[in-house]
Amino acid sequence: NKKLCLVSGEIIQMSSTMNMIFEPQDLEVASPATVSRCGMVYYEPHQIGLYPSLSSWLNTLPETVSEANKNTIESLFKWLVPPAIKFIRRELKEVSPSSDIQLGWSLLKMFESLITPFKVEPNKFALDEKAALTVVEGVFLFSLTWSVCCSVDAAGRHKMSDFIRECTAGTVPSPYNEEGDRGSYMISNPFPKEGTIYQYCYSVESKKWVLWTAMMSRDPFAQHLQPHEIIVPTIDTTRYTFLLDVCVKNAQLPHSLNRMGLLLVGPTGTGKTIYINNHLLNGLDKDKFSIIPLGFSAQTTALQTQDIIDAKLDKRRKGVYGPPMGKQAIVFVDDLNMPAKEIYGAQPPIEILRQFMDHNGWYDLKEKTFRNIVDMMYVCAMGPPGGGRTFVTPRFLRWFNVISVTEFDAEAMTGIFDAIMRFQFDKKGTPGTVKGLREAIIRSTLEVYDASLANLLPTPTKSHYLFNLRDFGRVILGFLMANTEAMTEGTAPCRLWVHEVMRVFYDRLTDDKDRDWLIQFMRTTLKKNFSFDLDKIFEHLLVPEDNGTVGIPQARRLLFGDFGDPEGNGKRLYEEMRDPQKVIEVCNSFLEDYNAMSKKPMQLVLFLFMIEHISRICRVLRSPGGHALLVGIGGSGRQSCTQLASFIMDYTVVTIEISKTYGKAEWREDIKRLLTVAGGDGKSTVFLFTDSQIKLESFVEDINNLLNTAEVPNIFAADEKATLGEKVRPQAKAAGRTLNTPAEAWSFFLDRCKSNLHVVLAFSPVGDAFRSRLRQFPSLVNCCTIDW
């Protein structure tokens, strides 16, 4: 009936000359009434194909690209791209689904970004015809690798590499030769023969293929770094930093279709956030780029997203906003696919970001006018869809170059941790007996990690059986925390290794079957890699009733800590505490001191079980930025253990008092107070939080952010940030860091929060709440050491 009924009660009659055209992705939410009244036209993507995009794009290239070069590009494109896309669709698994046109465009964008010698005035163009041809070929093959071929997973990369090799050699294998158009073109500068195509970078300057490994930096680590702060350069850091750099510097190419966002997709713990942050904060020219960091989570709203970005943009002229003149704003969105979907299946924060991509801006909500935004681009990172993470709409992804970050292979892992251990051992002057075990330790940890991934699978009752590369790192960093220079005989480091593996993997296990499996697995690994017998190295912990074998009860007696010797000379060393009885006495004396000083004395009887948990919590508090998730039923002593452990470590405990009126505002105030103590005063702080204190789910949301980045987005107003930045200036001076801009002062403040703030969460595994929280907020598992 062509009537438009508005909320206000007005009715607008449409005249006979008005038409409505809808362009949806699908008819998920259209009612039959709507569908029956509209004429339908279904567009199939393959009918248009990639060639129209290609020919319109060729017209936008700089004048220096000659007709011959354009023909070369066209024949290469028609020869290689369609078969490659068909191969991906038929044979391989993508980490995040993509559309054909998106892959084609990302190739063209990448190509255009890399042809730097052509981007000059025609009279300054320096290449002769042959050289120009070589560059075009090389850049095309390189762009093909890092646009069409890089959305697949690690296993798929090898197959993809072989396939592209076979095609470039001249013949496209059947059934893929039906696609595209082979032509008669031959490549004069193909990929080198060794390794995969992903191991090479095409250098435009020297016009040769170069191994990524040759471009890695070989500088020694700075002596003051702690083991957890080191970034070891690997082939991955080099590759992704290079590609990120290309995308950031070419974010706006001369024509409208080119918006070059970069999206890194990969499992948690592969270092996506670290690569990006490291390059954005340290690798880019501060006068040319301003960075706007955003972290998405299940509860993020479109409004928050818009506010954060708007706050960082200035008004250029009427209706046009952007970063300060002469700068390019890079918005870094982490965990892009976390926001929850609303009833119609859209993710509002992503829709607002997409509005900028499609329409160059969004509406000002106060004045109801459109704000055009210039000089802004996105860089995003996300985990593979699944669990709390959803699929992002292809209408947003089409603007991005998607690159999958694959899990490190054993070789890369060994390289990374070998470098860290070597550095740390040399710095501490560790004896040769321990140094020689370096490879065995890394190999054994890798075996335990792989076996746990294969055997300890998550089920609804064990939803926290999720292992990632961070767990691997925790074992090694725990090993380095110990007083290794005092170890003289070979069994001591083995016991230390067993202890660290137990703290990371064993403590989260819920039943004896799994625990027993892990102990037996460690027994075989010890025998194989260290050639020691598990029962032998535990000799001094066994009592006559044990018959000389080690099982679950015996393994629990192995304790390491730095409070076993309270009369020590002021330096606390993390070492083995050989006599459990003595440890109980030490803890009792700590408890007496605590009760003498505290307003709320605790009447506790300490026994071995409590002592184990106390030493576990102490270990987590000892490691910088260590967080713990204690899982147990109410009344099992989670909070008392934490209070006592914090007192032993001499940390301040912060808890929140829940009252009837306690709401979001009070919660925010408490978090501000917590961060001010940890970052501003530099005191080591423990934040103890239990699931009975969760009045609003948004609390967990904020904790998720605290665990991940040590800050809660938008909690401090600009003036409060400035005050805190001033507050840490003297400490920064003492540490030898100069803080020039407010942003640097703030990042120093956050670094201090990261190393001084320890979150201890006490959750109960009863009911569904625990499961759904772990699924919605991945940091609860990724960033915490779990103790069941």
Side-chain angles (χ1 to χ4, degrees):
N1 53 6
K2 290 206 167 181
K3 281 195 177 73
L4 201 56
C5 305
L6 303 183
V7 185
S8 58
E10 283 182 73
I11 293 178
I12 299 178
Q13 174 73 46
M14 288 173 65
S15 70
S16 57
T17 52
M18 292 183 187
N19 286 320
M20 292 175 99
I21 297 183
F22 299 97
E23 184 258 326
Q25 181 185 328
D26 49 41
L27 299 177
E28 289 277 304
V29 288
S31 65
T34 320
V35 175
S36 64
R37 290 192 172 82
C38 293
M40 291 282 159
V41 177
Y42 179 62
Y43 266 77
E44 289 198 51
H46 68 82
Q47 287 175 338
I48 294 189
L50 294 167
Y51 298 162
S53 308
L54 173 68
S55 43
S56 63
W57 172 80
L58 285 171
N59 297 335
T60 64
L61 289 177
E63 295 172 37
T64 50
V65 183
S66 65
E67 279 306 309
N69 293 345
K70 286 185 183 173
N71 294 340
T72 305
I73 297 172
E74 198 171 348
S75 33
L76 280 170
F77 190 93
K78 292 182 170 174
W79 165 20
L80 296 171
V81 178
I85 291 179
K86 183 168 183 178
F87 184 69
I88 294 175
R89 298 284 176 255
R90 275 189 59 155
E91 302 280 328
L92 308 177
K93 195 162 123 253
E94 288 191 299
V95 181
S96 161
S98 63
S99 67
D100 295 2
I101 298 209
Q102 173 199 346
L103 291 178
W105 265 111
S106 55
L107 165 72
L108 302 179
K109 289 190 287 199
M110 183 68 91
F111 181 86
E112 190 168 346
S113 310
L114 290 165
I115 49 169
T116 36
F118 290 93
K119 292 184 189 168
V120 288
E121 298 295 310
N123 51 8
K124 296 205 181 118
F125 184 59
L127 300 176
D128 58 33
E129 230 171 85
K130 188 163 180 260
L133 186 70
T134 317
V135 170
V136 166
E137 279 188 4
V139 171
F140 187 91
L141 290 178
F142 178 72
S143 311
L144 179 75
T145 311
W146 290 107
S147 57
V148 178
C149 311
C150 66
S151 60
V152 295
D153 55 9
R157 283 198 175 182
H158 290 290
K159 293 185 192 159
M160 191 79 222
S161 177
D162 296 342
F163 178 77
I164 295 290
R165 281 255 160 86
E166 190 174 343
C167 293
T168 48
T171 46
V172 182
S174 132
Y176 306 105
N177 50 10
E178 299 154 18
E179 304 294 319
D181 175 13
R182 168 64 184 93
S184 55
Y185 192 82
M186 289 310 276
I187 295 177
S188 56
N189 185 11
F191 289 107
K193 294 268 184 296
E194 292 75 45
T196 66
I197 57 175
Y198 298 97
Q199 291 172 356
Y200 294 94
C201 169
Y202 184 75
S203 156
V204 180
E205 287 72 46
S206 66
K207 306 186 190 39
K208 286 193 179 71
W209 290 99
V210 197
L211 275 166
W212 287 114
T213 39
M215 297 161 63
M216 273 165 30
S217 76
R218 297 257 185 274
D219 309 336
F221 303 131
Q223 281 300 320
H224 64 272
L225 285 179
Q226 292 300 320
H228 66 280
E229 298 171 322
I230 297 174
I231 294 182
V232 182
T234 59
I235 184 169
D236 295 301
T237 48
T238 319
R239 281 197 292 224
Y240 300 126
T241 310
F242 176 83
L243 295 165
L244 172 66
D245 196 60
V246 169
C247 285
V248 169
K249 292 194 173 141
N250 296 289
Q252 303 281 346
L253 290 178
H255 47 93
S256 60
L257 272 164
N258 193 59
R259 287 280 165 74
M260 186 140 155
L262 177 74
L263 173 63
L264 292 181
V265 191
T268 167
T270 43
K272 301 182 294 291
T273 314
I274 292 182
Y275 297 149
I276 295 179
N277 275 333
N278 192 24
H279 188 64
L280 293 184
L281 296 173
N282 310 328
L284 292 177
D285 185 345
K286 297 229 180 357
D287 307 330
K288 289 196 185 139
F289 293 96
S290 71
I291 313 296
I292 306 177
L294 284 176
F296 275 5
S297 60
Q299 309 284 331
T300 312
T301 62
L303 201 59
Q304 278 174 334
T305 311
Q306 196 176 342
D307 286 347
I308 297 177
I309 297 179
D310 279 345
K312 303 267 175 85
L313 300 178
D314 308 346
K315 190 167 182 175
R316 292 267 180 101
R317 53 183 185 278
K318 187 175 187 302
V320 178
Y321 291 80
M325 282 301 271
K327 281 192 169 185
Q328 167 87 12
I330 303 288
V331 180
F332 169 39
V333 187
D334 201 5
D335 283 327
L336 180 71
N337 51 3
M338 278 306 287
K341 295 200 165 178
E342 36 95 309
I343 44 171
Y344 298 117
Q347 294 166 284
I350 288 179
E351 293 304 314
I352 191 82
L353 294 178
R354 180 170 84 89
Q355 197 171 356
F356 163 69
M357 289 295 223
D358 291 352
H359 306 285
N360 300 322
W362 44 61
Y363 282 90
D364 185 331
L365 297 174
K366 292 192 189 66
E367 296 169 11
K368 308 280 187 290
T369 52
F370 194 73
R371 305 176 64 141
N372 277 308
I373 298 175
V374 289
D375 291 338
M376 182 169 95
M377 204 53 243
Y378 301 131
V379 172
C380 306
M382 66 183 203
R389 305 164 180 282
T390 48
F391 289 93
V392 179
T393 156
R395 293 168 162 241
F396 182 59
L397 290 186
R398 60 168 281 219
W399 295 107
F400 285 89
N401 280 20
V402 181
I403 293 180
S404 71
V405 180
T406 48
E407 295 252 299
F408 297 122
D409 46 9
E411 187 185 337
M413 295 287 282
T414 315
I416 293 172
F417 287 105
D418 194 59
I420 294 180
M421 288 177 88
R422 203 167 46 226
F423 167 71
Q424 198 60 9
F425 283 167
D426 291 349
K427 192 162 105 180
K428 281 177 153 182
T430 305
T433 43
V434 183
K435 273 189 182 170
L437 291 171
R438 208 174 56 221
E439 282 181 8
I441 290 165
I442 294 176
R443 198 166 59 240
S444 316
T445 315
L446 199 62
E447 285 169 15
V448 171
Y449 169 73
D450 288 340
S452 304
L453 273 181
N455 292 317
L456 303 171
L457 301 169
T459 63
T461 49
K462 306 172 182 173
S463 56
H464 58 287
Y465 277 28
L466 299 167
F467 302 97
N468 61 42
L469 298 175
R470 291 189 184 131
D471 294 314
F472 185 99
R474 281 190 198 115
V475 176
I476 304 286
L477 294 179
F479 191 93
L480 294 176
M481 212 162 57
N483 178 17
T484 41
E485 49 272 41
M487 294 182 176
T488 44
E489 37 111 39
T491 57
C494 296
R495 273 198 300 274
L496 172 61
W497 176 77
V498 170
H499 175 263
E500 293 308 317
V501 171
M502 286 182 62
R503 288 299 70 84
V504 176
F505 292 97
Y506 176 91
D507 287 349
R508 71 175 70 188
L509 306 180
T510 53
D511 55 14
D512 284 354
K513 191 172 123 253
D514 293 344
R515 291 179 184 146
D516 209 47
W517 172 83
L518 186 66
I519 290 178
Q520 296 312 329
F521 187 82
M522 283 190 337
R523 170 173 277 151
T524 48
T525 314
L526 267 175
K527 194 106 193 122
K528 191 169 78 186
N529 291 339
F530 297 94
S531 46
F532 277 113
D533 190 358
L534 189 65
D535 304 332
K536 277 281 184 300
I537 61 173
F538 272 82
E539 251 174 344
H540 60 284
L541 294 171
L542 299 178
V543 289
E545 293 87 80
D546 295 335
N547 305 332
T549 52
V550 176
I552 298 170
Q554 291 76 28
R556 283 176 32 195
R557 293 181 204 149
L558 176 66
L559 296 173
F560 275 76
D562 60 355
F563 53 87
D565 177 18
E567 291 81 47
N569 48 9
K571 256 190 90 174
R572 288 184 149 189
L573 300 170
Y574 181 73
E575 53 198 3
E576 189 177 349
M577 302 185 286
R578 299 182 78 124
D579 180 7
Q581 283 312 315
K582 189 180 162 206
V583 182
I584 295 184
E585 288 159 29
V586 173
C587 287
N588 269 321
S589 67
F590 273 120
L591 182 62
E592 282 162 26
D593 296 350
Y594 175 82
N595 288 344
M597 289 163 63
S598 159
K599 297 191 186 89
K600 292 188 189 165
M602 303 188 291
Q603 303 304 325
L604 297 179
V605 178
L606 296 175
F607 48 96
L608 187 62
F609 185 72
M610 292 278 289
I611 302 293
E612 284 174 41
H613 287 290
I614 290 173
S615 77
R616 286 172 192 181
I617 297 170
C618 283
R619 171 180 177 271
V620 173
L621 297 184
R622 225 192 142 201
S623 52
H627 307 295
L629 171 62
L630 311 178
V631 191
I633 9 183
S636 53
R638 295 163 309 182
Q639 295 188 43
S640 324
C641 279
T642 309
Q643 293 279 6
L644 185 55
S646 310
F647 178 75
I648 293 176
M649 299 299 294
D650 202 14
Y651 286 4
T652 9
V653 177
V654 179
T655 49
I656 57 176
E657 292 292 328
I658 293 281
S659 60
K660 274 200 177 125
T661 56
Y662 194 89
K664 191 136 193 190
E666 289 81 0
W667 164 255
R668 287 271 155 131
E669 283 309 310
D670 279 340
I671 294 281
K672 277 186 193 173
R673 211 177 54 235
L674 172 75
L675 289 174
T676 314
V677 173
D681 307 342
K683 286 196 186 128
S684 295
T685 321
V686 175
F687 178 47
L688 177 57
F689 184 75
T690 67
D691 52 3
S692 56
Q693 292 170 330
I694 302 177
K695 280 187 83 171
L696 301 166
E697 279 296 313
S698 66
F699 290 4
V700 193
E701 166 68 25
D702 289 344
I703 288 204
N704 185 43
N705 285 326
L706 265 184
L707 293 172
N708 224 337
T709 54
E711 81 166 318
V712 176
N714 301 8
I715 184 167
F716 289 108
D719 52 324
E720 293 173 313
K721 277 192 176 180
T723 343
L724 287 169
E726 284 308 311
K727 196 170 179 179
V728 295
R729 232 166 243 283
Q731 287 98 337
K733 214 171 201 159
R737 276 179 61 171
T738 46
L739 308 177
N740 305 330
T741 59
E744 283 176 25
W746 184 243
S747 91
F748 179 73
F749 171 79
L750 285 183
D751 284 347
R752 286 178 52 124
C753 288
K754 272 189 189 141
S755 51
N756 291 330
L757 176 67
H758 299 279
V759 182
V760 178
L761 305 171
F763 279 18
S764 156
V766 180
D768 284 342
F770 177 66
R771 271 217 303 277
S772 75
R773 279 178 194 138
L774 290 192
R775 202 174 54 237
Q776 270 182 319
F777 305 110
S779 298
L780 295 182
V781 178
N782 297 342
C783 301
C784 293
T785 304
I786 304 178
D787 181 9
W788 180 274

